[in-house]
Amino acid sequence: MPPLAPPAGIRAYIGLGSNLGDSGATLRAALKEIAVLPGVQSCAVSPFYRSAPVDASGPDFINAAAMLCTTLAPLQLLDALQAIELKHGRERPYRNAPRTLDLDLLLYGDVVMDTQRLILPHPRMHERAFVLRPLQDLTPSITLPQGPIGELVAAAAGQAIARLPAGTP
């Protein structure tokens, strides 16, 4: 009997951000942890960006995006991401508080989901340059429910965001 083929994975996108502590080191550590999660078959990462907080206060954020191929179900992946956040000291004292690590499940294949714990696609990603620019780096031809990524990036052009040179911060 021939060996069973490995299960096909789903393409999922994660938004990463941090504005407390050594944000660059935290994002790099979290990306390594995501890449070795059981059920994650591959992980590609965008460049890092510096951006001003949106609807929040505190220092600038360091942001990135990751594209995963995973066999984890959406809520399993969310649970794993939240466990990584907790490991890195994530606290939720109030909405949009500064944070050591924020991992948002942005897209999970073509899944549309609206539960108390998870909304897919992420409901505000199309409004935020700090999500759109890294997504565009990973998949320049991606189309979100609100339109092609290039049009959405252009619409968010007024938001302060700067691509960081490789190896920083």
Side-chain angles (χ1 to χ4, degrees), residues 28 48 164-169:
R28 286 188 290 277
F48 285 9
L164 297 175
T168 61

Side-chain angles (χ1 to χ4, degrees), residues 76-154:
Q76 289 176 310
L77 182 54
L78 178 66
D79 288 341
L81 295 174
Q82 289 179 341
I84 292 170
E85 287 179 337
L86 286 174
K87 179 180 173 186
H88 289 277
R90 171 70 188 262
E91 296 179 359
R92 299 173 192 271
Y94 54 91
R95 183 175 169 83
N96 295 328
R99 56 208 80 160
T100 55
L101 182 62
D102 187 24
L103 301 174
D104 288 334
L105 182 51
L106 303 172
L107 297 163
Y108 183 90
D110 294 329
V111 171
V112 175
M113 183 177 195
D114 189 347
T115 70
Q116 190 171 18
R117 289 195 60 215
L118 181 61
I119 299 173
L120 289 171
H122 190 285
R124 291 171 304 284
M125 69 177 163
H126 68 284
E127 302 168 347
R128 298 177 171 169
F130 67 83
V131 173
L132 296 169
R133 293 276 302 276
L135 279 178
Q136 186 179 40
D137 288 335
L138 286 171
T139 310
S141 62
I142 193 169
T143 296
L144 303 181
Q146 297 80 10
I149 192 80
E151 291 176 15
L152 298 171
V153 167

